């Protein structure tokens, strides 16, 4: 087995790892780097539990090879909170009880953040289609949609300009 | 039951009924929470399972020699590594046969061997080197086919139980059940209108997003540890140690965070395999199912075939209700929820004459396990479809027909017991008055409704509550938290002790730290474990009062507990300044040592639960696709401890029901193989499929709980199948008797009705 050496940035930090040719980025994050926030729900791109960003673009990490991360910026759920303060989406998910078991939550938060970066004022329909690649079996999505709406509102308001800027910088 | 107060419906709650943040929340939004597959152990191996490609086959020989020789392979196991410690029959033996096939593979995906290796790729390569010699047998996957006299037999020794005389010929019918009272034949004679219909429902999967995962380690001395995602780690401990032939106390099971279960994680699949691999390799082994394995080899719910016959008088009184319920439960007896199906089918009606006959049927499909209100949604779909049809025939509003025949306090239920205070009538009245009910419908839209029932359970719970010197509280419970129950436990303890929610934290203890707790199922946890928390808090309260009494030098019974303080019970007890929980805790090292409360029991008195759902669908006449445009859930919660999570249960259950009604189904090929073992082809609802799900919580207190709590987790999946089918019938004029109502089926129904020139049943 010959390992491939990969240089990448994860949540802003330089990271070097060695992986096998058939390992996915999700495998690398979870098994080699101890970043188990991204989950494997299917490994076929159908559930979104493994969502990360690659150079700011929402991606299923189960569909990317670890070796393909070379030279790219990876964003994971572990990079979403800034120090002690949660990202507004994280706070709103707690406030709205937008999670039951919580297995889908990291992926949905990453996807929702990516959505709000592109569209800070989405309609309910836009949120629903924006999150259509992320399965949640517990909640029926109602409280998730409400939490995203509320977070978007807060992020658009003055006081969250800062937290949004922070989020941008870290992505 | 050890309760010293009836529900005080006028009681003012301070914490219960509020919506605080959950204690495990931050871990879950930051990715820190550790689920089944998130743990690892030093030196761990990767375990993988070889599965039968055949639906039914004799396993003649398994040759593992090549796999064993592959570098990096540390253990290979087969049936030979699972000697029978179960006595060779019964449910435990069937579980043994299911976790590792013995003489026969009973379904595609049945485990036949497993390997542990130093990497996933080596483990995969090793599986390919195992040679299994099969003798393929004829198979059967459909419930009606399986019941035919000439069907391929799964077990030569299966003679239907519950029929007299016992049959002489073996069959695939494991058991017959019968419930009811009165005389249905006499009842039908009094009827002016009778509707009789046959229905079919396909198997659905619980669809939890987290695949089964287990990390096991076991030494040659039989001491073992297991980390896994389960709804019941005590069940896992007991079953695994019995299957492996070790003392129960030798196996310590720690429950991970669980990424959904809905009943599907109430048994073992990979856990005994992981332990057996770890024992053979003498190294920790982690086994994680793939999604395909989850679909093929965990436990979906039953497929069914149901006949319903109901008779009514002209003025809308039901005179008799009769049903036959056939539930396919996979290859082993006692797994299908036929019994619950038969018991629950007519539970929402006040009936003089009712009969439900249910059959537990085996077939070459995965061994089914519970799925949220197991057995009830299918029966409800059939019964509530006929009810709607009868209402139309009577020219009566379906809601009024239901209200007229609704079960109420004092009704002898169709499954035996007489109801105490129940909330069915209230949910029906609330539905009738709901704005949704009067809202206008658009083109191609239809409205349907259904009322549903679930029993709710109590069961065994054991809780310990520890009070450290700063007066904060740790509650150790043994019921896995599958959707926010730790928050409810903390709330009930805080309520009882009269302290703030933030002062209390709950953890899920491992199996060596606390007495036995039943599986988190049957909507039991907030009710039964919650009540154990209340009683443990009362136990602690007594001890806190005793410390205060000793401090003051007065008798223990001269002290009471009020809003977080010990106080002298009255003027005669003496004039002492109240002592707070914090003060008593701080002094505890000098007043007798640590203070803890405890309670262990088997809870009774879980109040039954009813819900009424209203649903609007819009049908695309070109494609037959159904879009849910509005949905309302009205359910009795007894008392909602944390209303947000109660609403969440209502919404989640309704949406699972929507998926089952519209899209989800197990599709088998002629070869007996599952054709849609992935989320792309087994399509659960996604965010863009749905509207907001409105909820209305009613609170008709359960007399069996000090706060009136009823379980709420399961009922919400019962009415959607029928509510949606009724809405589709309203929109299209076609009554569908088979679900899922997938676009091709609906389109075909609409086109056939057009050809036939009017209404019909499809
Ligand atoms: S694990 Fe990547 S989409 Fe499901
Ligand atoms: S909260 Fe359980 S899957 Fe979304």
């Amino acid at each position: 087995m010959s390992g491939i050496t990969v240089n990448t940035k994860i949540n802003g930090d330089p990271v070097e790892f060695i992986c096998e040719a058939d390992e996915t980025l999700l495998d690398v994050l979870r098994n080699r780097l101890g970043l188990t926030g991204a989950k494997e729900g299917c490994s076929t791109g159908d559930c979104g539990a493994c969502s990360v960003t690659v150079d700011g673009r929402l991606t299923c990490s189960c569909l990317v090879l670890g070796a393909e991360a070379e030279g790219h910026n990876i964003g994971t759920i572990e990079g979403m909170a800034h120090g002690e303060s949660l990202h507004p989406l994280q706070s709103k998910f707690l406030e709205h009880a937008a999670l039951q078991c919580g297995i889908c939550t990291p992926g949905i938060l990453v996807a929702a953040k990516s959505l709000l970066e592109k569209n800070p004022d989405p309609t309910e329909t836009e949120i629903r289609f924006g999150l259509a690649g992320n399965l949640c079996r517990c909640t029926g999505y109602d409280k998730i949609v409400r939490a995203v709406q509320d977070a978007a509102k807060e992020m658009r308001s003055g006081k969250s300009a800062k937290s949004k800027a922070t989020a941008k910088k870290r992505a | 039951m050890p309760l010293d107060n009836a529900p005080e419906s006028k009681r003012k709650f301070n914490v219960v009924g509020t919506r605080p943040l959950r204690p495990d929340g931050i871990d879950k939004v930051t990715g820190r929470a550790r689920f089944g597959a998130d743990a690892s152990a030093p030196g761990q191996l990767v375990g993988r399972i070889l599965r039968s490609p055949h639906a039914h086959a004799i396993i003649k020989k398994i040759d593992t020699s090549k796999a064993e020789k592959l570098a990096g392979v540390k253990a290979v196991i087969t049936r030979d590594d699972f000697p029978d410690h179960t006595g060779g029959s019964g449910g435990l033996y069937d579980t043994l046969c299911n976790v590792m096939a013995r003489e026969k593979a009973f379904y595609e995906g049945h485990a036949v061997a497993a390997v542990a290796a130093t990497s996933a790729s080596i483990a995969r390569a090793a599986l390919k080197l195992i040679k299994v010699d099969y003798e393929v047998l004829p198979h059967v996957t459909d419930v009606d086919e399986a019941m035919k006299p000439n069907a391929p037999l799964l077990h030569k020794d299966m003679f239907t139980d519950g029929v007299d005389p016992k049959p002489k010929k073996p069959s695939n019918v494991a058991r017959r059940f019968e419930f009811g009272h009165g005389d249905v034949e006499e009842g039908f004679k009094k009827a002016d209108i009778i509707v009789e219909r046959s229905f079919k429902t396909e198997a659905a999967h619980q669809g939890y997003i987290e695949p089964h995962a287990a990390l096991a380690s076991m030494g040659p001395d039989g001491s073992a540890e297991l980390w896994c995602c389960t709804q019941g780690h005590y069940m896992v401990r007991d079953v695994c140690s019995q299957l492996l032939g070790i003392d129960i106390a030798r196996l310590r099971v720690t429950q991970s965070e669980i990424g959904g279960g809905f009943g599907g994680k109430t048994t073992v699949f990979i856990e005994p395999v992981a332990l057996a691999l770890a024992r053979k390799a003498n190294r920790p082994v982690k086994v994680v199912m793939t999604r395909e394995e989850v679909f093929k080899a965990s436990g979906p719910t039953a497929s069914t075939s149901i006949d319903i016959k109901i008779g009514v008088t002209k003025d809308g009184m039901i005179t008799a209700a009769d049903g036959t319920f056939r539930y396919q439960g996979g290859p082993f007896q006692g797994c299908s929820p036929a019994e619950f199906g038969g018991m629950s089918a007519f539970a929402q009606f006040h009936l003089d004459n009712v009969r439900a006959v249910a059959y537990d049927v085996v077939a070459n499909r995965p061994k089914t396990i519970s799925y949220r209100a197991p057995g009830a949604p299918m029966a409800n779909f059939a019964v509530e479809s006929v009810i709607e049809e009868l209402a139309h025939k009577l020219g009566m509003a379906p809601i009024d027909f239901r209200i007229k025949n609704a079960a109420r306090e004092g009704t002898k239920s169709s499954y035996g017991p007489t109801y105490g205070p129940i909330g069915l009538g209230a949910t029906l009245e609330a539905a009738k008055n709901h704005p949704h009910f009067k809202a206008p419908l658009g083109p191609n839209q239809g409205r349907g409704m259904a009322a549903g029932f679930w029993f709710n359970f109590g069961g065994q719970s054991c809780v310990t509550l520890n009070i450290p010197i700063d007066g904060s509280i740790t509650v150790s419970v043994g019921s896995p938290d599958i959707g926010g129950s730790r928050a409810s436990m903390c709330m009930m303890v805080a309520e009882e002790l009269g302290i703030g929610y933030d002062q209390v934290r709950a953890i899920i203890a491992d199996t060596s730290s606390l007495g036995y707790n039943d599986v988190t199922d049957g909507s039991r946890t907030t009710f039964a474990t919650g009540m154990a928390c209340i009683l443990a808090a009362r136990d602690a309260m007594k001890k806190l009062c005793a410390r205060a009494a000793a401090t003051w030098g007065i008798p223990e019974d001269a002290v009471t507990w009020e809003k977080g303080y010990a106080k002298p019970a009255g003027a005669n007890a003496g004039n002492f300044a109240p002592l707070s929980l914090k003060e008593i805790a701080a002094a505890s090292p000098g007043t007798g040592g640590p203070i803890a409360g405890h309670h262990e029991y088997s809870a009774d008195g879980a109040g039954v639960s009813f819900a009424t759902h209203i649903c609007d669908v819009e049908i695309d006449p070109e494609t037959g696709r159904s879009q849910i445009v509005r949905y309302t859930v009205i359910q009795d919660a007894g008392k909602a401890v944390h209303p947000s999570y109660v609403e969440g249960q209502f919404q989640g259950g309704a949406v699972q029901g929507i998926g089952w009604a519209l899209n989800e189904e197990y599709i088998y090929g002629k070869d007996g193989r599952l054709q849609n073992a992935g989320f792309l082809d087994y399509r659960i609802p996604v965010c863009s499929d749905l509207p907001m799900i409105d909820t209305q919580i009613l609170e008709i207190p359960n007399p069996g709980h000090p706060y009136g709590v009823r379980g709420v987790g399961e009922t919400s999946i019962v009415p959607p199948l029928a509510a949606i089918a009724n809405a589709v019938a309203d929109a299209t004029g076609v009554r569908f008797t088979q679900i899922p109502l997938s676009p091709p089926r609906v389109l075909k129904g609409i086109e056939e009705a057009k050809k036939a020139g009017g209404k019909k049943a499809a």
Side-chain angles (χ1 to χ4, degrees):
Chain A
M1 258 169 301
S2 56
I4 302 165
T5 306
V6 179
N7 278 287
T8 171
K9 265 193 180 174
I10 298 181
N11 300 323
D13 301 324
V15 173
E16 182 178 340
F17 60 81
I18 296 173
C19 69
E20 288 177 41
D22 65 352
E23 270 178 89
T24 65
L25 176 58
L26 179 62
D27 291 334
V28 170
L29 290 171
R30 292 181 52 81
N31 303 335
R32 294 196 182 262
L33 303 178
L35 295 171
T36 54
K39 308 297 177 191
E40 180 166 317
C42 67
S43 80
T44 49
D46 299 315
C47 77
C50 63
S51 297
V52 299
T53 54
V54 177
D55 300 332
R57 193 156 161 250
L58 183 64
T59 305
C60 291
S61 61
C62 70
L63 297 181
V64 178
L65 289 173
E68 291 179 286
E70 173 67 36
H72 294 288
N73 284 306
I74 313 297
T76 73
I77 183 67
E78 286 88 351
M80 197 159 168
H82 185 54
E84 281 204 327
S85 52
L86 296 178
H87 185 278
L89 277 163
Q90 292 173 310
S91 316
K92 290 297 174 192
F93 266 56
L94 293 178
E95 221 173 275
H96 286 265
L99 52 144
Q100 283 175 32
C101 79
I103 192 89
C104 68
T105 311
I108 292 190
L109 285 169
V110 169
K113 179 166 168 262
S114 168
L115 170 72
L116 296 187
E117 275 163 11
K118 277 185 290 191
N119 180 358
D121 191 7
T123 61
E124 183 192 331
T125 306
E126 286 169 339
I127 294 174
R128 288 189 177 277
F129 279 89
L131 298 180
N134 291 78
L135 300 179
C136 172
R137 190 57 155 173
C138 296
T139 63
Y141 305 103
D142 181 299
K143 292 183 189 299
I144 291 175
V145 174
R146 289 177 203 276
V148 174
Q149 284 174 324
D150 199 11
K153 196 168 138 210
E154 189 181 302
M155 288 165 72
R156 286 194 308 274
S157 80
K159 88 170 190 242
S160 64
K162 188 171 136 251
S163 79
K164 194 175 158 194
T166 315
K168 273 255 164 70
K169 196 171 72 213
R170 294 178 56 79
Chain B
M1 193 180 343
L3 278 184
D4 47 35
N5 61 344
E8 308 134 71
S9 50
K10 287 198 191 73
R11 173 177 177 152
K12 273 259 208 213
F13 291 98
N14 294 313
V15 184
V16 165
T18 64
R19 302 175 187 241
L21 301 187
R22 58 197 281 169
D24 54 322
I26 290 184
D27 282 353
K28 286 191 170 158
V29 297
T30 54
R32 270 207 298 269
R34 295 199 314 154
F35 290 85
D38 296 342
S40 41
Q44 102 190 357
L45 302 170
V46 178
R48 288 194 64 95
I49 296 172
L50 183 70
R51 298 184 178 279
S52 167
H54 305 296
H56 197 190
I58 295 171
I59 301 170
K60 290 162 66 182
K61 204 173 150 245
I62 306 175
D63 181 359
T64 59
S65 54
K66 276 201 184 127
E68 277 158 26
K69 284 190 202 111
L70 185 68
V73 171
K74 300 294 171 191
V76 182
I77 58 168
T78 65
R79 55 194 175 187
D80 297 339
D81 297 273
F82 288 91
D84 179 18
H85 300 287
T86 70
S89 67
L92 202 56
Y93 180 73
D94 291 341
T95 302
L96 179 68
C97 294
N98 192 53
V99 299
M100 191 60 72
R102 299 178 87 78
E103 295 82 30
K104 288 210 276 185
F106 282 109
Y107 55 93
E108 185 217 4
H110 199 162
V112 293
V115 302
T118 49
S119 78
S121 48
I122 296 174
R124 277 195 297 268
L127 290 188
K128 292 205 182 106
L129 296 175
I130 298 174
K131 202 176 162 306
V132 186
D133 230 346
Y134 293 103
E135 179 187 331
V136 178
L137 300 170
H139 64 270
V140 62
T141 54
D142 178 80
V143 61
D144 291 321
E145 294 297 322
M147 288 180 80
K148 287 187 177 158
N150 56 351
L153 269 190
L154 273 75
H155 307 277
K156 287 194 295 283
D157 57 350
M158 182 169 280
F159 301 91
T160 312
D161 272 338
V163 284
D164 201 23
K166 205 175 168 90
K168 291 203 178 63
K169 253 188 75 186
S171 73
N172 293 323
V173 183
R175 187 160 171 193
R176 177 187 185 277
F177 302 89
E178 187 172 332
F179 309 97
H181 54 255
D183 183 333
V184 284
E185 273 73 32
E186 282 305 308
F188 284 121
K189 280 184 203 155
K190 293 189 202 126
D192 298 311
I193 304 171
I194 293 175
V195 168
E196 200 173 351
R197 290 241 177 264
S198 296
F199 298 85
K200 273 195 113 154
T201 70
E202 233 332 314
H205 194 276
Q206 299 83 353
Y208 33 82
I209 306 302
E210 180 198 35
H212 299 260
L215 171 60
S217 94
M218 186 165 179
D221 63 347
S223 292
E225 285 189 18
L226 182 66
W227 159 278
C228 62
C229 52
T230 173
Q231 289 174 247
H233 46 317
Y234 292 87
M235 169 278 297
V236 170
R237 177 194 63 176
D238 291 9
V239 173
C240 287
S241 44
Q242 289 175 78
L243 295 185
L244 294 166
I246 59 171
D247 287 349
I248 290 177
R250 289 238 168 184
L251 173 58
R252 176 178 175 196
V253 183
T254 307
Q255 200 253 355
S256 71
E257 292 296 337
I258 173 175
F262 318 110
K265 291 175 182 167
T266 58
T267 184
V268 298
F269 298 106
I270 55 171
E271 297 82 357
V273 177
L275 281 163
L277 283 170
R279 172 161 66 183
K280 199 158 182 178
N282 198 12
R283 275 172 70 171
V285 176
K286 181 158 148 185
V287 181
V288 182
M289 274 194 185
T290 63
R291 179 56 54 183
E292 186 182 347
E293 286 180 293
V294 172
F295 277 112
K296 289 183 175 173
S298 68
T301 188
S303 58
T304 73
S305 154
I306 297 172
D307 304 330
I308 300 294
K309 180 179 176 186
I310 300 177
V312 290
T313 61
K314 280 197 295 288
D315 59 350
M317 288 308 295
I318 298 177
T319 59
D322 195 7
T324 304
F325 303 85
R326 307 168 196 91
Y327 282 53
Q328 171 283 128
F332 304 107
Q333 54 85 30
C335 295
S336 87
E339 188 177 9
F340 288 156
M343 286 168 78
S344 67
F346 299 109
Q348 64 271 41
F349 301 105
H350 181 95
L351 299 167
D352 293 331
N353 305 298
V354 56
R355 178 174 62 190
V357 174
Y359 295 97
D360 175 27
V361 183
V362 299
N364 295 110
R365 293 194 186 207
K367 180 178 188 281
T368 62
I369 187 69
S370 304
Y371 180 20
R372 207 169 200 154
M378 311 81 144
N380 186 269
F381 161 62
V383 170
E384 289 279 313
S385 293
V386 169
I387 289 294
E388 193 92 356
E389 200 176 341
L390 277 166
H392 289 304
K393 289 219 157 90
L394 284 163
M396 204 170 166
I399 181 85
D400 293 327
F401 181 44
R402 286 186 173 88
I403 289 172
K404 191 160 190 173
N405 291 284
R408 49 198 171 259
E409 185 164 2
T411 293
K412 181 177 167 57
S413 69
S414 57
Y415 63 97
T418 298
Y419 291 131
I422 58 172
L424 174 63
T427 67
L428 288 166
E429 293 290 347
K432 194 175 173 179
N433 294 321
H434 198 283
H436 182 172
F437 214 73
K438 296 161 203 146
L441 287 166
N444 298 316
Q445 293 184 353
R447 180 166 297 147
M449 66 170 300
F453 158 88
W454 185 243
F455 307 91
N456 287 342
F457 293 98
Q460 305 175 71
S461 290
C462 180
V463 167
T464 288
L465 182 156
N466 288 302
I467 309 179
I469 49 168
D470 64 351
S472 62
I473 289 180
T474 311
V475 192
S476 302
V477 300
S479 296
D481 176 352
I482 60 175
S485 65
R486 268 166 292 191
S488 318
M489 302 299 135
C490 294
M491 291 172 78
M492 286 186 267
V493 167
E495 183 73 51
E496 201 58 33
L497 288 174
I499 57 175
Y501 168 76
D502 287 340
Q503 235 170 301
V504 190
R505 278 289 174 273
I507 62 139
I508 314 299
D510 65 63
T511 56
S512 298
S513 310
L514 205 59
Y516 184 86
N517 283 266
D518 273 328
V519 172
T520 289
D521 68 358
S523 301
R524 67 174 290 276
T525 294
T526 304
F527 166 74
T529 302
M531 187 150 61
C533 285
I534 293 171
L535 296 170
R538 289 183 186 174
D539 184 39
M541 209 187 286
K542 237 190 247 145
K543 293 170 184 166
L544 289 161
C545 287
R547 297 291 171 97
T551 308
W552 293 328
I554 62 174
E556 283 176 24
D557 57 7
V559 180
T560 59
W561 191 262
E562 224 183 283
K563 294 189 181 134
Y565 287 83
K567 288 181 176 164
N572 294 343
N575 191 10
F576 303 101
L579 279 171
S580 72
L581 172 64
K582 280 189 178 161
E583 288 166 317
I584 300 171
S588 63
T591 59
I595 303 173
H598 187 78
H599 197 78
E600 65 214 3
Y601 74 153
S602 184
D604 233 329
V608 296
S609 166
F610 289 94
T612 298
H613 290 200
I614 317 166
C615 166
D616 295 354
V617 295
E618 184 172 320
I619 309 291
D620 179 344
E622 308 272 300
T623 62
R625 180 173 187 270
S626 310
Q627 176 77 39
I628 307 290
V629 289
R630 188 165 180 184
Y631 203 100
T632 303
V633 178
I634 303 164
Q635 188 176 319
D636 172 20
K639 174 74 200 168
V641 177
H642 192 309
S644 297
Y645 288 101
V646 172
E647 291 160 4
Q649 290 296 321
F650 291 6
Q651 292 163 334
V655 168
Q656 286 184 320
I658 290 171
W660 197 349
L662 294 182
N663 280 309
E664 297 178 33
E665 62 177 317
Y666 266 47
I667 301 170
Y668 281 92
K670 284 211 168 63
D671 55 4
R673 292 185 178 141
L674 184 63
Q675 296 186 330
N676 59 334
F679 278 139
L680 191 61
D681 298 316
Y682 182 97
R683 194 177 180 288
I684 72 172
V686 303
C687 199
S688 53
D689 291 339
L690 298 161
M692 294 294 189
I693 308 294
D694 290 337
T695 57
Q696 190 177 344
I697 302 174
L698 303 183
E699 295 187 326
I700 292 95
N702 167 22
H705 186 279
Y707 302 162
V709 169
R710 296 174 195 267
V712 297
E714 291 171 287
T715 316
S716 51
I717 202 175
V718 181
L721 278 52
I724 292 163
N726 289 337
V728 172
D730 189 40
T732 62
V734 186
R735 175 142 302 278
F736 292 87
T737 54
Q738 196 169 349
I739 57 159
L741 297 166
S742 53
R745 180 169 287 146
V746 172
L747 194 60
K748 193 162 160 245
I750 297 171
E751 278 166 2
E752 278 171 10
K754 255 193 227 146
K755 267 187 232 146
K759 299 198 172 199
K760 72 177 285 285

